[in-house]
Amino acid sequence: MKKLSALLVMLALTLSCFSPFALAEDAATVTFWLDDMTDARMAMVEKIIASFEASHPNIKVDFTGLPEDASDKLMLAFEAGTAPDILNITSKNIATYIENGYVSDLTELYAQKGNDAILSSAIESACAYDRENSRLYYLPSGCNFFCLWARSDWFEEMGLSMPVTWDEFFADVEALTEKDAGRYGIALRGGKGAATNLEMLMYSYSGITHYFTEEGVCTVNDPKHVDFVDRYLSLYNVCSGEGDINFGWSQLAGAFQTGVAAIIQHNTGSADAHYDAFNGDLSKFAALPFPKSVEGTRVMQSLSWDGFAINETAKDKEAAWEFLYFLCAGEGAAIYTENIGLVPCVNELLTSEDSYVQSPDKPWMQTAAEVITSPDTLFYDCPTYMPSYSGVLSNEIDPMVQQAMAGEISAQELLDYWAETMTAMYAEEGK
């Protein structure tokens, strides 16, 4: 009986060597936080982690899902030395994290992978946040592609083609407006986010690709921008509703989805909401690239790629890197970006016929992929790398856009103040 017991013990030990749990005691643990979590997103992250741990039995991922924005919580955790090994990155926080030395330099680690998995422009965009050395401090995962959402059924009813130039855009907005019927050619964003959205459109119109001149002077008040803003904001309460002056995203979506507005500006992140509102009828709505500039080029804001970084104080950076790469460039990338609704930056996902990006059920993804990967698309260098940039637009410029819509100040006055403010900021933060 004793011999049998001994044999069973030896057999159990032998079998454990082949078990994926054999390394559990020696496994590295990687801590990972992600905010704005819902039940669906929790299930999505658990799927990614399960897939990763199955192929990396020597690494365990300890995940914490947070129900809301965790920016403040993360800053406190960094200061207390309790921040996670892997954290999500946006354009609003990466410059601060780099400046404070909170995140690891990933340049060499990514170079060892061959530098071909992720779209090169996405890597360049991520490196731009390191103003001194252009080092890579986070891996991009995906972005929300900014576009015009159009009621394609209205265009068809009116016999109109989708606008390719800005002149066609303004003509279409006027033609689609039937004020007596409560239908407008466009809904304008006058509330929170007004300045950010207006900036994208004016650079798309002008074709200018540099936010600052070589001398550090902001180009926001270029004459082409003044002409555009004057023309665009004059649509307010003529080809748009009177309430637009206070519209944020939710009001724009409501106007578009309930048959009040033919065109709104947003991004591909709202696709699912439109899809649900129109009961999956893809003939009723479409994502359009911004029209071509007066120079004949297509210009977009430099894409703000969300992604993930490694805490500089992570105990096992090798293990953290394995999970980070899996999440952003490996098998986890497709799961994450599709579920979040982001346009991926992984080359294979953007171009493969088998990718969800090319699905006929998601034509907006195809539009985004075509524009992002086109060699003819130009990007202006939006200064999201300046820590104060977003706050100034929100706190100072947004209210001035409302003033311009109301006719209290001119487009020239709005853009002159905007340019002067950014030029001063660039002298302090941009270099």
Side-chain angles (χ1 to χ4, degrees):
M1 197 66 181
K2 290 182 179 179
K3 288 183 179 181
L4 179 59
S5 298
L7 286 171
L8 290 173
V9 170
M10 289 178 65
L11 178 60
L13 289 172
T14 302
L15 289 174
S16 71
C17 293
F18 298 96
S19 167
F21 303 102
L23 297 175
E25 293 184 2
D26 300 321
T29 297
V30 174
T31 54
F32 173 37
W33 288 7
L34 190 58
D35 53 9
D36 289 329
M37 298 303 292
T38 61
D39 289 343
R41 289 188 175 188
M42 285 292 291
M44 173 265 296
V45 174
E46 288 168 0
K47 181 178 179 181
I48 292 172
I49 292 173
S51 178
F52 174 78
E53 291 182 342
S55 58
H56 297 76
N58 59 330
I59 303 174
K60 180 181 183 301
V61 179
D62 183 2
F63 175 63
T64 300
L66 303 168
E68 54 193 21
D69 183 87
S71 300
D72 293 339
K73 184 179 180 68
L74 265 172
M75 287 301 292
L76 291 173
F78 275 125
E79 293 170 7
T82 58
D85 299 328
I86 302 289
L87 57 142
N88 61 308
I89 292 297
T90 69
S91 60
K92 295 179 180 179
N93 59 32
I94 183 59
T96 300
Y97 292 165
I98 294 172
E99 184 179 355
N100 287 289
Y102 291 154
V103 288
S104 298
D105 183 349
L106 307 174
T107 311
E108 301 307 324
L109 287 169
Y110 184 67
Q112 291 169 13
K113 290 288 188 179
N115 279 343
D116 59 357
I118 295 175
L119 195 67
S120 60
S121 59
I123 294 296
E124 291 167 7
S125 178
C127 289
Y129 287 97
D130 178 18
R131 300 299 292 166
E132 292 187 11
N133 303 302
S134 296
R135 306 289 288 179
L136 181 67
Y137 282 92
Y138 79 99
L139 277 193
S141 57
C143 73
N144 278 318
F145 175 82
F146 281 87
C147 61
L148 300 176
W149 286 104
R151 286 296 304 265
S152 45
D153 53 343
W154 291 17
F155 275 81
E156 186 174 356
E157 288 171 11
M158 298 288 293
L160 299 172
S161 299
M162 295 296 183
V164 175
T165 68
W166 280 104
D167 282 342
E168 292 172 354
F169 166 84
F170 283 109
D172 288 343
V173 167
E174 183 177 351
L176 289 161
T177 299
E178 299 178 25
K179 292 189 74 170
D180 291 342
R183 293 198 347 176
Y184 297 95
I186 194 168
L188 301 177
R189 188 163 188 163
K192 185 178 180 181
T196 299
N197 284 262
L198 185 61
E199 180 189 283
M200 293 180 194
L201 298 179
M202 73 171 85
Y203 278 92
S204 176
Y205 174 86
S206 71
I208 296 170
T209 57
H210 296 293
Y211 203 86
F212 298 98
T213 66
E214 292 182 358
E215 294 75 28
V217 177
C218 183
T219 59
V220 159
N221 62 343
D222 183 273
K224 293 176 183 175
H225 293 160
V226 176
D227 289 344
F228 173 79
V229 171
D230 185 57
R231 190 177 181 186
Y232 184 73
L233 295 187
S234 69
L235 297 173
Y236 169 63
N237 206 22
V238 177
C239 294
S240 84
E242 185 177 5
D244 291 17
I245 197 166
N246 294 311
F247 273 16
W249 156 240
S250 59
Q251 291 82 12
L252 285 180
F256 183 69
Q257 294 167 5
T258 60
V260 174
I263 297 173
I264 60 170
Q265 176 195 2
H266 198 240
N267 58 56
T268 47
S270 57
D272 288 344
H274 299 326
Y275 186 87
D276 291 342
F278 295 114
N279 297 313
D281 188 345
L282 297 176
S283 70
K284 292 184 178 295
F285 69 104
L288 309 180
F290 292 158
K292 291 185 177 181
S293 73
V294 292
E295 302 296 328
T297 55
R298 190 179 304 284
V299 175
M300 295 190 63
Q301 182 192 73
S302 52
L303 296 173
S304 239
W305 296 95
D306 290 351
F308 296 89
I310 297 177
N311 187 342
E312 178 61 18
T313 61
K315 292 181 180 179
D316 193 328
K317 289 186 180 178
E318 183 177 345
W321 168 251
E322 289 295 324
F323 180 65
L324 178 71
Y325 192 83
F326 182 91
L327 179 60
C328 296
E331 295 175 30
I335 301 171
Y336 179 75
T337 53
E338 182 174 14
N339 280 271
I340 297 294
L342 297 174
V343 180
C345 59
V346 176
N347 282 306
E348 185 177 359
L349 293 177
L350 287 168
T351 58
S352 172
E353 293 182 0
D354 297 328
S355 167
Y356 72 90
V357 174
Q358 300 301 327
S359 168
D361 295 332
K362 298 178 184 291
W364 51 87
M365 284 290 183
Q366 295 176 35
T367 298
E370 288 171 8
V371 173
I372 289 171
T373 58
S374 171
D376 297 326
T377 300
L378 304 176
F379 298 92
Y380 77 88
D381 50 358
C382 180
T384 51
Y385 51 80
M386 296 196 301
S388 301
Y389 167 77
S390 296
V392 167
L393 288 191
S394 178
N395 298 326
E396 296 185 39
I397 309 302
D398 276 356
M400 293 186 70
V401 173
Q402 288 185 319
Q403 288 181 284
M405 291 174 70
E408 297 172 4
I409 60 174
S410 67
Q412 186 74 61
E413 290 172 318
L414 165 66
L415 297 185
D416 281 346
Y417 177 84
W418 189 339
E420 290 168 8
T421 302
M422 289 296 160
T423 297
M425 187 189 303
Y426 186 74
E428 292 291 325
E429 302 180 4
K431 299 177 182 179

